[in-house]
Amino acid sequence: MPTIAFLGAGSVVFTRQLLTDLLRFPDLPELHIALHDIDAERLEVARLTAGSVSRQLGRPITVTASLDRREALEGADFVINSIQVGGIAATRVDLEIPARYGLRQTIGDTTGVGGVFRGLRTFPVLTGIARDILEICPDALFLNYTNPMAMNVWWLSLIAPELRAVGLCHSVHWTAHDLCELIGVPLAGTHYRAAGVNHQAWLTEWSRDGQDLYPLLRAKIAADPELERRVRVEIFRRIGWYPTETSEHSAEYLGWFLRSEAQIEKYRLRPLEYIGISEENVAEFEDARRVLHAGGDVELHDEGDAAEYAPQVIHSMLTGAERVIHGNVINRGLIDNLPEGAAVEVPCRVDARGVTPIPFGSIPAAGAALNRTYLSVAELAIRAAAEGNPELVRQAVLVDANASSSLTPEQIWALCDELTQAHARYLPASLGGLL
């Protein structure tokens, strides 16, 4: 019986989505779902959620739940990681403290000051997870969903190079989905490929029956001035290729959008937006807990909305079905004009043998230039943690385009000092923390 371990299973909404997609494959064998979380209450809701999904879909599964990570990893064939170190409280810190300095973020989980500190508090936990997997289930495939994706995948490649790992994100799928919806073309039957870095890859191929769909998109934008007030449309106009993450995310990866109130209004942005999204996730968890404890069932998403890659990877490896996804892996001859050894996002072939990245060649030059700045922030944050050098933390934030467009170097150093103190319980002592 294949075993799938869920780490951070208390992210109940996400766990429900993954299980629903997984159990809708009719040709999978009965599965053992091993749930783990450090929060007992959330873990119990995850266990009840798994039972509800199984019952509604008529697919029997074996479910175990443990507060002990090593116990959950016993016999695992696949390990799905969706932990969030520090939870919503840490997210508030990442967004609210920089805002007091005048540095505005919308999401704060990928790059920039929010991404750097999210990465720094995640690296120690990832190190422990990797150590446990290599000892307990060394052949398991590690499927990472935790942000900052590029930093985390890159970190794992350095501290556990023998670990089989791939980072998964649905941003490429939903970009193609939403663009097709915008121009009135069904997603089914289209061909699309993207490459770059997670949340900032570039849609370089997008066609249907051999017809390039970009001209239809340009015509749609030209006919609707309101579309030009979206961040991704502005990036598309200036770079020439569409980026693969939402405008809300993309706004904070560059220095163009959050630097002034005028830009924020022009592009209809909402600084600190992720706090509200996080609060909605907490409310959804509370709703699920109430329904499940009353003996009810959680609501399942429509089958047509299945977009998560982990169930597809597991299905392919267990059945041999071949498919192509977009995965986050280490650049070993995959993208010519991005740094070798960095974490990149490229098309990957998936089959019974696993996930095999497909060499992409070069990505558009201007897109690569932006990607390299993003990767420089990631590299400095990773080196800071690896070398125990707090100066590199500050330099990582200094390199970030959004931070440097809004704050002076002195302000960035002071901000990092305050964030270090606020997150001290999660950070290594060498970086000013308590670990």
PDB file of all heavy atoms in Angstrom, residues 289-318:
ATOM      1  N   ARG A 289     -13.765  22.822  10.997  1.00  0.00           N
ATOM      2  CA  ARG A 289     -13.758  22.164  12.303  1.00  0.00           C
ATOM      3  C   ARG A 289     -15.177  22.042  12.852  1.00  0.00           C
ATOM      4  O   ARG A 289     -15.562  20.977  13.352  1.00  0.00           O
ATOM      5  CB  ARG A 289     -12.887  22.959  13.283  1.00  0.00           C
ATOM      6  CG  ARG A 289     -12.869  22.349  14.679  1.00  0.00           C
ATOM      7  CD  ARG A 289     -11.928  23.090  15.596  1.00  0.00           C
ATOM      8  NE  ARG A 289     -12.329  24.481  15.793  1.00  0.00           N
ATOM      9  CZ  ARG A 289     -11.697  25.320  16.611  1.00  0.00           C
ATOM     10  NH1 ARG A 289     -10.626  24.911  17.277  1.00  0.00           N
ATOM     11  NH2 ARG A 289     -12.110  26.563  16.742  1.00  0.00           N
ATOM     12  N   ARG A 290     -15.954  23.107  12.742  1.00  0.00           N
ATOM     13  CA  ARG A 290     -17.319  23.094  13.261  1.00  0.00           C
ATOM     14  C   ARG A 290     -18.173  22.056  12.527  1.00  0.00           C
ATOM     15  O   ARG A 290     -18.898  21.272  13.157  1.00  0.00           O
ATOM     16  CB  ARG A 290     -17.929  24.486  13.114  1.00  0.00           C
ATOM     17  CG  ARG A 290     -19.303  24.650  13.724  1.00  0.00           C
ATOM     18  CD  ARG A 290     -19.703  26.102  13.813  1.00  0.00           C
ATOM     19  NE  ARG A 290     -19.539  26.819  12.564  1.00  0.00           N
ATOM     20  CZ  ARG A 290     -18.585  27.712  12.324  1.00  0.00           C
ATOM     21  NH1 ARG A 290     -17.675  27.972  13.251  1.00  0.00           N
ATOM     22  NH2 ARG A 290     -18.505  28.327  11.161  1.00  0.00           N
ATOM     23  N   VAL A 291     -18.076  22.025  11.208  1.00  0.00           N
ATOM     24  CA  VAL A 291     -18.868  21.089  10.406  1.00  0.00           C
ATOM     25  C   VAL A 291     -18.482  19.648  10.714  1.00  0.00           C
ATOM     26  O   VAL A 291     -19.337  18.779  10.911  1.00  0.00           O
ATOM     27  CB  VAL A 291     -18.687  21.392   8.898  1.00  0.00           C
ATOM     28  CG1 VAL A 291     -19.245  20.262   8.043  1.00  0.00           C
ATOM     29  CG2 VAL A 291     -19.359  22.712   8.532  1.00  0.00           C
ATOM     30  N   LEU A 292     -17.180  19.375  10.775  1.00  0.00           N
ATOM     31  CA  LEU A 292     -16.707  18.009  10.979  1.00  0.00           C
ATOM     32  C   LEU A 292     -17.031  17.497  12.378  1.00  0.00           C
ATOM     33  O   LEU A 292     -17.429  16.341  12.551  1.00  0.00           O
ATOM     34  CB  LEU A 292     -15.204  17.938  10.712  1.00  0.00           C
ATOM     35  CG  LEU A 292     -14.796  18.113   9.241  1.00  0.00           C
ATOM     36  CD1 LEU A 292     -13.304  18.413   9.142  1.00  0.00           C
ATOM     37  CD2 LEU A 292     -15.156  16.883   8.428  1.00  0.00           C
ATOM     38  N   HIS A 293     -16.877  18.346  13.373  1.00  0.00           N
ATOM     39  CA  HIS A 293     -17.189  17.913  14.740  1.00  0.00           C
ATOM     40  C   HIS A 293     -18.688  17.689  14.929  1.00  0.00           C
ATOM     41  O   HIS A 293     -19.093  16.949  15.835  1.00  0.00           O
ATOM     42  CB  HIS A 293     -16.667  18.929  15.750  1.00  0.00           C
ATOM     43  CG  HIS A 293     -15.201  18.810  16.014  1.00  0.00           C
ATOM     44  ND1 HIS A 293     -14.590  17.627  16.353  1.00  0.00           N
ATOM     45  CD2 HIS A 293     -14.198  19.736  15.978  1.00  0.00           C
ATOM     46  CE1 HIS A 293     -13.293  17.815  16.522  1.00  0.00           C
ATOM     47  NE2 HIS A 293     -13.028  19.093  16.297  1.00  0.00           N
ATOM     48  N   ALA A 294     -19.486  18.320  14.049  1.00  0.00           N
ATOM     49  CA  ALA A 294     -20.935  18.105  14.105  1.00  0.00           C
ATOM     50  C   ALA A 294     -21.357  16.884  13.296  1.00  0.00           C
ATOM     51  O   ALA A 294     -22.554  16.592  13.183  1.00  0.00           O
ATOM     52  CB  ALA A 294     -21.661  19.350  13.606  1.00  0.00           C
ATOM     53  N   GLY A 295     -20.367  16.190  12.700  1.00  0.00           N
ATOM     54  CA  GLY A 295     -20.672  14.994  11.933  1.00  0.00           C
ATOM     55  C   GLY A 295     -20.951  15.240  10.465  1.00  0.00           C
ATOM     56  O   GLY A 295     -21.350  14.323   9.738  1.00  0.00           O
ATOM     57  N   GLY A 296     -20.711  16.478  10.011  1.00  0.00           N
ATOM     58  CA  GLY A 296     -20.943  16.805   8.609  1.00  0.00           C
ATOM     59  C   GLY A 296     -19.733  16.540   7.739  1.00  0.00           C
ATOM     60  O   GLY A 296     -18.720  15.992   8.193  1.00  0.00           O
ATOM     61  N   ASP A 297     -19.850  16.928   6.478  1.00  0.00           N
ATOM     62  CA  ASP A 297     -18.768  16.744   5.511  1.00  0.00           C
ATOM     63  C   ASP A 297     -18.271  18.088   5.003  1.00  0.00           C
ATOM     64  O   ASP A 297     -19.043  19.044   4.848  1.00  0.00           O
ATOM     65  CB  ASP A 297     -19.246  15.912   4.315  1.00  0.00           C
ATOM     66  CG  ASP A 297     -19.301  14.423   4.626  1.00  0.00           C
ATOM     67  OD1 ASP A 297     -18.374  13.936   5.291  1.00  0.00           O
ATOM     68  OD2 ASP A 297     -20.273  13.770   4.210  1.00  0.00           O
ATOM     69  N   VAL A 298     -16.980  18.156   4.719  1.00  0.00           N
ATOM     70  CA  VAL A 298     -16.416  19.354   4.102  1.00  0.00           C
ATOM     71  C   VAL A 298     -16.821  19.393   2.636  1.00  0.00           C
ATOM     72  O   VAL A 298     -17.085  18.356   2.009  1.00  0.00           O
ATOM     73  CB  VAL A 298     -14.883  19.367   4.209  1.00  0.00           C
ATOM     74  CG1 VAL A 298     -14.450  19.538   5.646  1.00  0.00           C
ATOM     75  CG2 VAL A 298     -14.267  18.112   3.609  1.00  0.00           C
ATOM     76  N   GLU A 299     -16.879  20.590   2.092  1.00  0.00           N
ATOM     77  CA  GLU A 299     -17.262  20.762   0.684  1.00  0.00           C
ATOM     78  C   GLU A 299     -16.060  20.504  -0.210  1.00  0.00           C
ATOM     79  O   GLU A 299     -14.951  20.985   0.055  1.00  0.00           O
ATOM     80  CB  GLU A 299     -17.798  22.178   0.459  1.00  0.00           C
ATOM     81  CG  GLU A 299     -18.329  22.420  -0.937  1.00  0.00           C
ATOM     82  CD  GLU A 299     -18.922  23.801  -1.110  1.00  0.00           C
ATOM     83  OE1 GLU A 299     -19.069  24.510  -0.090  1.00  0.00           O
ATOM     84  OE2 GLU A 299     -19.231  24.186  -2.262  1.00  0.00           O
ATOM     85  N   LEU A 300     -16.271  19.753  -1.278  1.00  0.00           N
ATOM     86  CA  LEU A 300     -15.200  19.440  -2.216  1.00  0.00           C
ATOM     87  C   LEU A 300     -15.265  20.351  -3.424  1.00  0.00           C
ATOM     88  O   LEU A 300     -16.351  20.716  -3.885  1.00  0.00           O
ATOM     89  CB  LEU A 300     -15.302  17.978  -2.667  1.00  0.00           C
ATOM     90  CG  LEU A 300     -15.380  16.918  -1.566  1.00  0.00           C
ATOM     91  CD1 LEU A 300     -15.364  15.527  -2.182  1.00  0.00           C
ATOM     92  CD2 LEU A 300     -14.247  17.080  -0.558  1.00  0.00           C
ATOM     93  N   HIS A 301     -14.097  20.719  -3.948  1.00  0.00           N
ATOM     94  CA  HIS A 301     -14.074  21.583  -5.123  1.00  0.00           C
ATOM     95  C   HIS A 301     -14.501  20.788  -6.359  1.00  0.00           C
ATOM     96  O   HIS A 301     -14.449  19.557  -6.395  1.00  0.00           O
ATOM     97  CB  HIS A 301     -12.689  22.198  -5.329  1.00  0.00           C
ATOM     98  CG  HIS A 301     -11.592  21.209  -5.534  1.00  0.00           C
ATOM     99  ND1 HIS A 301     -10.801  20.727  -4.505  1.00  0.00           N
ATOM    100  CD2 HIS A 301     -11.112  20.600  -6.651  1.00  0.00           C
ATOM    101  CE1 HIS A 301      -9.915  19.885  -4.968  1.00  0.00           C
ATOM    102  NE2 HIS A 301     -10.071  19.780  -6.277  1.00  0.00           N
ATOM    103  N   ASP A 302     -14.925  21.524  -7.390  1.00  0.00           N
ATOM    104  CA  ASP A 302     -15.359  20.884  -8.630  1.00  0.00           C
ATOM    105  C   ASP A 302     -14.195  20.146  -9.281  1.00  0.00           C
ATOM    106  O   ASP A 302     -13.034  20.578  -9.198  1.00  0.00           O
ATOM    107  CB  ASP A 302     -15.905  21.921  -9.610  1.00  0.00           C
ATOM    108  CG  ASP A 302     -17.203  22.558  -9.125  1.00  0.00           C
ATOM    109  OD1 ASP A 302     -17.893  21.926  -8.293  1.00  0.00           O
ATOM    110  OD2 ASP A 302     -17.492  23.693  -9.542  1.00  0.00           O
ATOM    111  N   GLU A 303     -14.516  19.072  -9.959  1.00  0.00           N
ATOM    112  CA  GLU A 303     -13.474  18.255 -10.579  1.00  0.00           C
ATOM    113  C   GLU A 303     -12.689  19.046 -11.620  1.00  0.00           C
ATOM    114  O   GLU A 303     -11.493  18.834 -11.806  1.00  0.00           O
ATOM    115  CB  GLU A 303     -14.090  17.005 -11.206  1.00  0.00           C
ATOM    116  CG  GLU A 303     -13.078  15.946 -11.564  1.00  0.00           C
ATOM    117  CD  GLU A 303     -13.697  14.579 -11.754  1.00  0.00           C
ATOM    118  OE1 GLU A 303     -14.926  14.455 -11.608  1.00  0.00           O
ATOM    119  OE2 GLU A 303     -12.947  13.639 -12.051  1.00  0.00           O
ATOM    120  N   GLY A 304     -13.345  19.979 -12.288  1.00  0.00           N
ATOM    121  CA  GLY A 304     -12.663  20.770 -13.311  1.00  0.00           C
ATOM    122  C   GLY A 304     -11.650  21.740 -12.748  1.00  0.00           C
ATOM    123  O   GLY A 304     -10.836  22.301 -13.490  1.00  0.00           O
ATOM    124  N   ASP A 305     -11.674  21.953 -11.421  1.00  0.00           N
ATOM    125  CA  ASP A 305     -10.733  22.875 -10.793  1.00  0.00           C
ATOM    126  C   ASP A 305      -9.475  22.186 -10.295  1.00  0.00           C
ATOM    127  O   ASP A 305      -8.643  22.811  -9.632  1.00  0.00           O
ATOM    128  CB  ASP A 305     -11.415  23.596  -9.617  1.00  0.00           C
ATOM    129  CG  ASP A 305     -12.493  24.565 -10.083  1.00  0.00           C
ATOM    130  OD1 ASP A 305     -12.400  25.033 -11.232  1.00  0.00           O
ATOM    131  OD2 ASP A 305     -13.430  24.835  -9.312  1.00  0.00           O
ATOM    132  N   ALA A 306      -9.325  20.904 -10.581  1.00  0.00           N
ATOM    133  CA  ALA A 306      -8.137  20.168 -10.144  1.00  0.00           C
ATOM    134  C   ALA A 306      -6.903  20.723 -10.859  1.00  0.00           C
ATOM    135  O   ALA A 306      -6.812  20.669 -12.077  1.00  0.00           O
ATOM    136  CB  ALA A 306      -8.306  18.680 -10.443  1.00  0.00           C
ATOM    137  N   ALA A 307      -5.986  21.272 -10.090  1.00  0.00           N
ATOM    138  CA  ALA A 307      -4.817  21.891 -10.711  1.00  0.00           C
ATOM    139  C   ALA A 307      -3.521  21.576  -9.980  1.00  0.00           C
ATOM    140  O   ALA A 307      -2.449  21.940 -10.459  1.00  0.00           O
ATOM    141  CB  ALA A 307      -5.004  23.411 -10.759  1.00  0.00           C
ATOM    142  N   GLU A 308      -3.606  20.925  -8.827  1.00  0.00           N
ATOM    143  CA  GLU A 308      -2.400  20.700  -8.041  1.00  0.00           C
ATOM    144  C   GLU A 308      -1.556  19.580  -8.655  1.00  0.00           C
ATOM    145  O   GLU A 308      -2.068  18.559  -9.085  1.00  0.00           O
ATOM    146  CB  GLU A 308      -2.766  20.367  -6.601  1.00  0.00           C
ATOM    147  CG  GLU A 308      -3.484  21.494  -5.872  1.00  0.00           C
ATOM    148  CD  GLU A 308      -2.667  22.779  -5.810  1.00  0.00           C
ATOM    149  OE1 GLU A 308      -1.424  22.720  -5.963  1.00  0.00           O
ATOM    150  OE2 GLU A 308      -3.270  23.842  -5.622  1.00  0.00           O
ATOM    151  N   TYR A 309      -0.244  19.797  -8.636  1.00  0.00           N
ATOM    152  CA  TYR A 309       0.660  18.868  -9.296  1.00  0.00           C
ATOM    153  C   TYR A 309       0.983  17.626  -8.475  1.00  0.00           C
ATOM    154  O   TYR A 309       1.275  16.566  -9.027  1.00  0.00           O
ATOM    155  CB  TYR A 309       1.970  19.580  -9.645  1.00  0.00           C
ATOM    156  CG  TYR A 309       1.889  20.498 -10.838  1.00  0.00           C
ATOM    157  CD1 TYR A 309       2.596  21.699 -10.864  1.00  0.00           C
ATOM    158  CD2 TYR A 309       1.139  20.162 -11.963  1.00  0.00           C
ATOM    159  CE1 TYR A 309       2.555  22.538 -11.966  1.00  0.00           C
ATOM    160  CE2 TYR A 309       1.082  20.994 -13.068  1.00  0.00           C
ATOM    161  CZ  TYR A 309       1.791  22.185 -13.065  1.00  0.00           C
ATOM    162  OH  TYR A 309       1.748  23.007 -14.162  1.00  0.00           O
ATOM    163  N   ALA A 310       0.977  17.725  -7.133  1.00  0.00           N
ATOM    164  CA  ALA A 310       1.373  16.564  -6.329  1.00  0.00           C
ATOM    165  C   ALA A 310       0.527  15.329  -6.634  1.00  0.00           C
ATOM    166  O   ALA A 310       1.084  14.245  -6.842  1.00  0.00           O
ATOM    167  CB  ALA A 310       1.325  16.900  -4.837  1.00  0.00           C
ATOM    168  N   PRO A 311      -0.813  15.445  -6.695  1.00  0.00           N
ATOM    169  CA  PRO A 311      -1.597  14.261  -7.053  1.00  0.00           C
ATOM    170  C   PRO A 311      -1.254  13.727  -8.440  1.00  0.00           C
ATOM    171  O   PRO A 311      -1.258  12.503  -8.661  1.00  0.00           O
ATOM    172  CB  PRO A 311      -3.047  14.777  -6.993  1.00  0.00           C
ATOM    173  CG  PRO A 311      -2.997  15.924  -6.036  1.00  0.00           C
ATOM    174  CD  PRO A 311      -1.685  16.578  -6.306  1.00  0.00           C
ATOM    175  N   GLN A 312      -0.942  14.617  -9.381  1.00  0.00           N
ATOM    176  CA  GLN A 312      -0.584  14.175 -10.725  1.00  0.00           C
ATOM    177  C   GLN A 312       0.751  13.427 -10.717  1.00  0.00           C
ATOM    178  O   GLN A 312       0.910  12.411 -11.399  1.00  0.00           O
ATOM    179  CB  GLN A 312      -0.513  15.384 -11.660  1.00  0.00           C
ATOM    180  CG  GLN A 312      -1.837  16.115 -11.829  1.00  0.00           C
ATOM    181  CD  GLN A 312      -1.711  17.324 -12.731  1.00  0.00           C
ATOM    182  OE1 GLN A 312      -1.121  17.263 -13.807  1.00  0.00           O
ATOM    183  NE2 GLN A 312      -2.265  18.447 -12.304  1.00  0.00           N
ATOM    184  N   VAL A 313       1.713  13.946  -9.952  1.00  0.00           N
ATOM    185  CA  VAL A 313       3.011  13.272  -9.856  1.00  0.00           C
ATOM    186  C   VAL A 313       2.849  11.884  -9.252  1.00  0.00           C
ATOM    187  O   VAL A 313       3.387  10.888  -9.763  1.00  0.00           O
ATOM    188  CB  VAL A 313       3.992  14.117  -9.008  1.00  0.00           C
ATOM    189  CG1 VAL A 313       5.256  13.319  -8.691  1.00  0.00           C
ATOM    190  CG2 VAL A 313       4.348  15.414  -9.733  1.00  0.00           C
ATOM    191  N   ILE A 314       2.085  11.801  -8.164  1.00  0.00           N
ATOM    192  CA  ILE A 314       1.880  10.519  -7.493  1.00  0.00           C
ATOM    193  C   ILE A 314       1.168   9.544  -8.424  1.00  0.00           C
ATOM    194  O   ILE A 314       1.548   8.372  -8.531  1.00  0.00           O
ATOM    195  CB  ILE A 314       1.089  10.729  -6.184  1.00  0.00           C
ATOM    196  CG1 ILE A 314       1.942  11.521  -5.187  1.00  0.00           C
ATOM    197  CG2 ILE A 314       0.637   9.397  -5.589  1.00  0.00           C
ATOM    198  CD1 ILE A 314       1.181  12.027  -3.982  1.00  0.00           C
ATOM    199  N   HIS A 315       0.152  10.040  -9.126  1.00  0.00           N
ATOM    200  CA  HIS A 315      -0.578   9.178 -10.069  1.00  0.00           C
ATOM    201  C   HIS A 315       0.356   8.648 -11.157  1.00  0.00           C
ATOM    202  O   HIS A 315       0.340   7.459 -11.487  1.00  0.00           O
ATOM    203  CB  HIS A 315      -1.743   9.946 -10.683  1.00  0.00           C
ATOM    204  CG  HIS A 315      -2.512   9.173 -11.696  1.00  0.00           C
ATOM    205  ND1 HIS A 315      -2.307   9.323 -13.059  1.00  0.00           N
ATOM    206  CD2 HIS A 315      -3.471   8.211 -11.567  1.00  0.00           C
ATOM    207  CE1 HIS A 315      -3.112   8.494 -13.714  1.00  0.00           C
ATOM    208  NE2 HIS A 315      -3.819   7.818 -12.834  1.00  0.00           N
ATOM    209  N   SER A 316       1.165   9.516 -11.731  1.00  0.00           N
ATOM    210  CA  SER A 316       2.076   9.094 -12.795  1.00  0.00           C
ATOM    211  C   SER A 316       3.078   8.057 -12.306  1.00  0.00           C
ATOM    212  O   SER A 316       3.359   7.062 -12.987  1.00  0.00           O
ATOM    213  CB  SER A 316       2.821  10.298 -13.374  1.00  0.00           C
ATOM    214  OG  SER A 316       1.978  11.080 -14.183  1.00  0.00           O
ATOM    215  N   MET A 317       3.620   8.290 -11.126  1.00  0.00           N
ATOM    216  CA  MET A 317       4.642   7.370 -10.633  1.00  0.00           C
ATOM    217  C   MET A 317       4.058   6.016 -10.226  1.00  0.00           C
ATOM    218  O   MET A 317       4.730   4.990 -10.330  1.00  0.00           O
ATOM    219  CB  MET A 317       5.392   8.012  -9.471  1.00  0.00           C
ATOM    220  CG  MET A 317       6.265   9.192  -9.917  1.00  0.00           C
ATOM    221  SD  MET A 317       7.267   9.903  -8.589  1.00  0.00           S
ATOM    222  CE  MET A 317       8.366   8.546  -8.192  1.00  0.00           C
ATOM    223  N   LEU A 318       2.799   5.997  -9.798  1.00  0.00           N
ATOM    224  CA  LEU A 318       2.184   4.738  -9.391  1.00  0.00           C
ATOM    225  C   LEU A 318       1.558   3.978 -10.552  1.00  0.00           C
ATOM    226  O   LEU A 318       1.423   2.752 -10.498  1.00  0.00           O
ATOM    227  CB  LEU A 318       1.126   4.991  -8.309  1.00  0.00           C
ATOM    228  CG  LEU A 318       1.653   5.478  -6.954  1.00  0.00           C
ATOM    229  CD1 LEU A 318       0.492   5.687  -5.984  1.00  0.00           C
ATOM    230  CD2 LEU A 318       2.672   4.511  -6.368  1.00  0.00           C
TER     231      LEU A 318
END
